mmCIF file of all heavy atoms in Angstrom:
data_model
loop_
_atom_site.group_PDB
_atom_site.id
_atom_site.type_symbol
_atom_site.label_atom_id
_atom_site.label_comp_id
_atom_site.label_asym_id
_atom_site.label_seq_id
_atom_site.Cartn_x
_atom_site.Cartn_y
_atom_site.Cartn_z
ATOM 1 N N LEU A 179 0.811 -1.215 0.000
ATOM 2 C CA LEU A 179 0.000 0.000 0.000
ATOM 3 C C LEU A 179 0.848 1.270 0.000
ATOM 4 O O LEU A 179 0.436 2.292 -0.553
ATOM 5 C CB LEU A 179 -0.937 0.000 1.207
ATOM 6 C CG LEU A 179 -2.062 -1.045 1.180
ATOM 7 C CD1 LEU A 179 -2.891 -0.946 2.446
ATOM 8 C CD2 LEU A 179 -2.954 -0.867 -0.044
ATOM 9 N N VAL A 180 2.018 1.219 0.621
ATOM 10 C CA VAL A 180 2.892 2.395 0.646
ATOM 11 C C VAL A 180 3.317 2.754 -0.774
ATOM 12 O O VAL A 180 3.233 3.915 -1.200
ATOM 13 C CB VAL A 180 4.128 2.152 1.532
ATOM 14 C CG1 VAL A 180 5.101 3.318 1.410
ATOM 15 C CG2 VAL A 180 3.714 1.960 2.984
ATOM 16 N N TYR A 181 3.765 1.749 -1.540
ATOM 17 C CA TYR A 181 4.189 1.986 -2.918
ATOM 18 C C TYR A 181 3.040 2.550 -3.746
ATOM 19 O O TYR A 181 3.203 3.554 -4.456
ATOM 20 C CB TYR A 181 4.687 0.680 -3.559
ATOM 21 C CG TYR A 181 4.918 0.791 -5.051
ATOM 22 C CD1 TYR A 181 6.104 1.318 -5.558
ATOM 23 C CD2 TYR A 181 3.934 0.396 -5.964
ATOM 24 C CE1 TYR A 181 6.299 1.455 -6.922
ATOM 25 C CE2 TYR A 181 4.127 0.518 -7.330
ATOM 26 C CZ TYR A 181 5.310 1.045 -7.809
ATOM 27 O OH TYR A 181 5.490 1.181 -9.169
ATOM 28 N N TRP A 182 1.850 1.941 -3.635
ATOM 29 C CA TRP A 182 0.742 2.318 -4.504
ATOM 30 C C TRP A 182 0.152 3.669 -4.135
ATOM 31 O O TRP A 182 -0.258 4.433 -5.012
ATOM 32 C CB TRP A 182 -0.322 1.222 -4.500
ATOM 33 C CG TRP A 182 0.128 0.061 -5.307
ATOM 34 C CD1 TRP A 182 0.565 -1.149 -4.854
ATOM 35 C CD2 TRP A 182 0.252 0.008 -6.739
ATOM 36 N NE1 TRP A 182 0.952 -1.945 -5.899
ATOM 37 C CE2 TRP A 182 0.774 -1.273 -7.067
ATOM 38 C CE3 TRP A 182 -0.024 0.906 -7.764
ATOM 39 C CZ2 TRP A 182 1.015 -1.659 -8.381
ATOM 40 C CZ3 TRP A 182 0.214 0.518 -9.074
ATOM 41 C CH2 TRP A 182 0.725 -0.748 -9.372
ATOM 42 N N SER A 183 0.088 3.978 -2.856
ATOM 43 C CA SER A 183 -0.458 5.278 -2.475
ATOM 44 C C SER A 183 0.481 6.402 -2.911
ATOM 45 O O SER A 183 0.039 7.455 -3.377
ATOM 46 C CB SER A 183 -0.703 5.334 -0.970
ATOM 47 O OG SER A 183 0.496 5.139 -0.253
ATOM 48 N N GLN A 184 1.790 6.190 -2.787
ATOM 49 C CA GLN A 184 2.750 7.214 -3.216
ATOM 50 C C GLN A 184 2.750 7.363 -4.732
ATOM 51 O O GLN A 184 2.828 8.481 -5.255
ATOM 52 C CB GLN A 184 4.143 6.863 -2.710
ATOM 53 C CG GLN A 184 4.288 7.009 -1.200
ATOM 54 C CD GLN A 184 5.674 6.669 -0.698
ATOM 55 O OE1 GLN A 184 6.497 6.138 -1.445
ATOM 56 N NE2 GLN A 184 5.935 6.943 0.565
ATOM 57 N N ARG A 185 2.653 6.251 -5.447
ATOM 58 C CA ARG A 185 2.589 6.314 -6.912
ATOM 59 C C ARG A 185 1.329 7.048 -7.357
ATOM 60 O O ARG A 185 1.371 7.914 -8.236
ATOM 61 C CB ARG A 185 2.608 4.905 -7.507
ATOM 62 C CG ARG A 185 2.284 4.908 -9.010
ATOM 63 C CD ARG A 185 2.364 3.533 -9.625
ATOM 64 N NE ARG A 185 1.607 3.501 -10.870
ATOM 65 C CZ ARG A 185 2.011 4.051 -12.013
ATOM 66 N NH1 ARG A 185 3.153 4.687 -12.066
ATOM 67 N NH2 ARG A 185 1.268 3.974 -13.097
ATOM 68 N N ASN A 186 0.201 6.732 -6.725
ATOM 69 C CA ASN A 186 -1.055 7.381 -7.085
ATOM 70 C C ASN A 186 -0.983 8.885 -6.826
ATOM 71 O O ASN A 186 -1.512 9.690 -7.592
ATOM 72 C CB ASN A 186 -2.210 6.779 -6.281
ATOM 73 C CG ASN A 186 -3.561 7.297 -6.726
ATOM 74 O OD1 ASN A 186 -3.849 7.330 -7.917
ATOM 75 N ND2 ASN A 186 -4.374 7.726 -5.790
ATOM 76 N N SER A 187 -0.282 9.254 -5.767
ATOM 77 C CA SER A 187 -0.157 10.674 -5.426
ATOM 78 C C SER A 187 0.612 11.444 -6.489
ATOM 79 O O SER A 187 0.372 12.633 -6.709
ATOM 80 C CB SER A 187 0.542 10.824 -4.075
ATOM 81 O OG SER A 187 -0.222 10.212 -3.051
ATOM 82 N N ARG A 188 1.538 10.766 -7.180
ATOM 83 C CA ARG A 188 2.323 11.440 -8.217
ATOM 84 C C ARG A 188 1.480 11.828 -9.431
ATOM 85 O O ARG A 188 1.897 12.636 -10.255
ATOM 86 C CB ARG A 188 3.467 10.532 -8.691
ATOM 87 C CG ARG A 188 4.546 10.280 -7.631
ATOM 88 C CD ARG A 188 5.772 9.652 -8.287
ATOM 89 N NE ARG A 188 6.673 9.107 -7.309
ATOM 90 C CZ ARG A 188 6.789 7.814 -7.033
ATOM 91 N NH1 ARG A 188 6.045 6.938 -7.689
ATOM 92 N NH2 ARG A 188 7.640 7.387 -6.135
ATOM 93 N N LEU A 189 0.303 11.223 -9.554
ATOM 94 C CA LEU A 189 -0.552 11.513 -10.695
ATOM 95 C C LEU A 189 -1.247 12.864 -10.552
ATOM 96 O O LEU A 189 -1.898 13.331 -11.480
ATOM 97 C CB LEU A 189 -1.605 10.411 -10.873
ATOM 98 C CG LEU A 189 -1.071 8.982 -11.050
ATOM 99 C CD1 LEU A 189 -2.226 8.009 -11.216
ATOM 100 C CD2 LEU A 189 -0.134 8.895 -12.256
ATOM 101 N N TYR A 190 -1.130 13.466 -9.381
ATOM 102 C CA TYR A 190 -1.774 14.748 -9.133
ATOM 103 C C TYR A 190 -0.714 15.838 -8.998
ATOM 104 O O TYR A 190 0.454 15.560 -8.741
ATOM 105 C CB TYR A 190 -2.636 14.676 -7.866
ATOM 106 C CG TYR A 190 -3.787 13.709 -8.010
ATOM 107 C CD1 TYR A 190 -3.635 12.362 -7.688
ATOM 108 C CD2 TYR A 190 -5.018 14.130 -8.491
ATOM 109 C CE1 TYR A 190 -4.682 11.462 -7.842
ATOM 110 C CE2 TYR A 190 -6.068 13.243 -8.646
ATOM 111 C CZ TYR A 190 -5.897 11.913 -8.322
ATOM 112 O OH TYR A 190 -6.931 11.031 -8.488
ATOM 113 N N SER A 191 -1.161 17.074 -9.158
ATOM 114 C CA SER A 191 -0.199 18.178 -9.107
ATOM 115 C C SER A 191 -0.743 19.328 -8.272
ATOM 116 O O SER A 191 -1.886 19.310 -7.812
ATOM 117 C CB SER A 191 0.105 18.668 -10.530
ATOM 118 O OG SER A 191 -1.089 19.087 -11.174
ATOM 119 N N ASN A 192 0.106 20.336 -8.081
ATOM 120 C CA ASN A 192 -0.259 21.580 -7.413
ATOM 121 C C ASN A 192 -0.885 21.352 -6.037
ATOM 122 O O ASN A 192 -0.348 20.634 -5.225
ATOM 123 C CB ASN A 192 -1.186 22.399 -8.329
ATOM 124 C CG ASN A 192 -0.486 22.762 -9.614
ATOM 125 O OD1 ASN A 192 0.728 22.800 -9.699
ATOM 126 N ND2 ASN A 192 -1.264 23.021 -10.656
ATOM 127 N N ALA A 193 -2.063 21.952 -5.783
ATOM 128 C CA ALA A 193 -2.668 21.927 -4.450
ATOM 129 C C ALA A 193 -2.968 20.507 -3.982
ATOM 130 O O ALA A 193 -2.778 20.165 -2.809
ATOM 131 C CB ALA A 193 -3.948 22.767 -4.449
ATOM 132 N N THR A 194 -3.452 19.657 -4.901
ATOM 133 C CA THR A 194 -3.776 18.280 -4.527
ATOM 134 C C THR A 194 -2.519 17.530 -4.121
ATOM 135 O O THR A 194 -2.499 16.811 -3.117
ATOM 136 C CB THR A 194 -4.467 17.549 -5.698
ATOM 137 O OG1 THR A 194 -5.584 18.309 -6.150
ATOM 138 C CG2 THR A 194 -4.930 16.163 -5.264
ATOM 139 N N SER A 195 -1.447 17.703 -4.887
ATOM 140 C CA SER A 195 -0.184 17.038 -4.579
ATOM 141 C C SER A 195 0.353 17.472 -3.221
ATOM 142 O O SER A 195 0.812 16.646 -2.423
ATOM 143 C CB SER A 195 0.835 17.348 -5.679
ATOM 144 O OG SER A 195 2.079 16.770 -5.395
ATOM 145 N N GLU A 196 0.262 18.770 -2.943
ATOM 146 C CA GLU A 196 0.754 19.289 -1.661
ATOM 147 C C GLU A 196 -0.052 18.739 -0.492
ATOM 148 O O GLU A 196 0.501 18.395 0.561
ATOM 149 C CB GLU A 196 0.700 20.819 -1.675
ATOM 150 C CG GLU A 196 1.728 21.447 -2.620
ATOM 151 C CD GLU A 196 1.603 22.964 -2.664
ATOM 152 O OE1 GLU A 196 0.869 23.512 -1.831
ATOM 153 O OE2 GLU A 196 2.242 23.576 -3.544
ATOM 154 N N ALA A 197 -1.369 18.657 -0.673
ATOM 155 C CA ALA A 197 -2.224 18.120 0.391
ATOM 156 C C ALA A 197 -1.921 16.650 0.645
ATOM 157 O O ALA A 197 -1.905 16.187 1.792
ATOM 158 C CB ALA A 197 -3.692 18.312 0.019
ATOM 159 N N LEU A 198 -1.661 15.895 -0.425
ATOM 160 C CA LEU A 198 -1.350 14.472 -0.287
ATOM 161 C C LEU A 198 -0.056 14.259 0.486
ATOM 162 O O LEU A 198 0.032 13.384 1.356
ATOM 163 C CB LEU A 198 -1.257 13.820 -1.673
ATOM 164 C CG LEU A 198 -2.589 13.634 -2.416
ATOM 165 C CD1 LEU A 198 -2.329 13.278 -3.868
ATOM 166 C CD2 LEU A 198 -3.416 12.551 -1.752
ATOM 167 N N LYS A 199 0.957 15.067 0.172
ATOM 168 C CA LYS A 199 2.231 14.944 0.883
ATOM 169 C C LYS A 199 2.059 15.295 2.359
ATOM 170 O O LYS A 199 2.596 14.630 3.236
ATOM 171 C CB LYS A 199 3.271 15.861 0.233
ATOM 172 C CG LYS A 199 3.723 15.409 -1.146
ATOM 173 C CD LYS A 199 4.660 16.430 -1.779
ATOM 174 C CE LYS A 199 5.038 16.019 -3.200
ATOM 175 N NZ LYS A 199 5.872 17.061 -3.866
ATOM 176 N N LYS A 200 1.295 16.329 2.621
ATOM 177 C CA LYS A 200 1.043 16.763 3.999
ATOM 178 C C LYS A 200 0.336 15.678 4.801
ATOM 179 O O LYS A 200 0.588 15.498 5.991
ATOM 180 C CB LYS A 200 0.194 18.039 3.960
ATOM 181 C CG LYS A 200 -0.159 18.602 5.326
ATOM 182 C CD LYS A 200 -1.028 19.829 5.168
ATOM 183 C CE LYS A 200 -1.535 20.339 6.512
ATOM 184 N NZ LYS A 200 -2.451 21.496 6.342
ATOM 185 N N GLN A 201 -0.542 14.909 4.130
ATOM 186 C CA GLN A 201 -1.323 13.865 4.806
ATOM 187 C C GLN A 201 -0.674 12.485 4.701
ATOM 188 O O GLN A 201 -1.315 11.468 4.973
ATOM 189 C CB GLN A 201 -2.736 13.806 4.196
ATOM 190 C CG GLN A 201 -3.533 15.081 4.391
ATOM 191 C CD GLN A 201 -4.774 15.168 3.531
ATOM 192 O OE1 GLN A 201 -5.267 16.250 3.239
ATOM 193 N NE2 GLN A 201 -5.295 14.021 3.104
ATOM 194 N N SER A 202 0.577 12.440 4.262
ATOM 195 C CA SER A 202 1.309 11.164 4.115
ATOM 196 C C SER A 202 0.571 10.203 3.193
ATOM 197 O O SER A 202 0.490 9.001 3.452
ATOM 198 C CB SER A 202 1.542 10.518 5.485
ATOM 199 O OG SER A 202 2.305 11.365 6.305
#
C-alpha cells in the first residue's frame, strides 16, 4: 500500500499534490 499510495499521489499536481504529501 505504501508503494501504490505514493505512486497514485504522483498523478496529481499543485494543491492536490501538496495536500497528499502533507497527509502522508
Side-chain angles (χ1 to χ4, degrees):
L179 291 179
V180 173
Y181 170 83
W182 285 106
S183 60
Q184 290 180 350
R185 169 177 160 75
N186 187 48
S187 298
R188 293 193 194 103
L189 303 180
Y190 296 89
S191 58
N192 298 337
T194 307
S195 178
E196 290 177 10
L198 288 167
K199 290 175 184 176
K200 179 182 174 183
Q201 297 166 204
S202 300

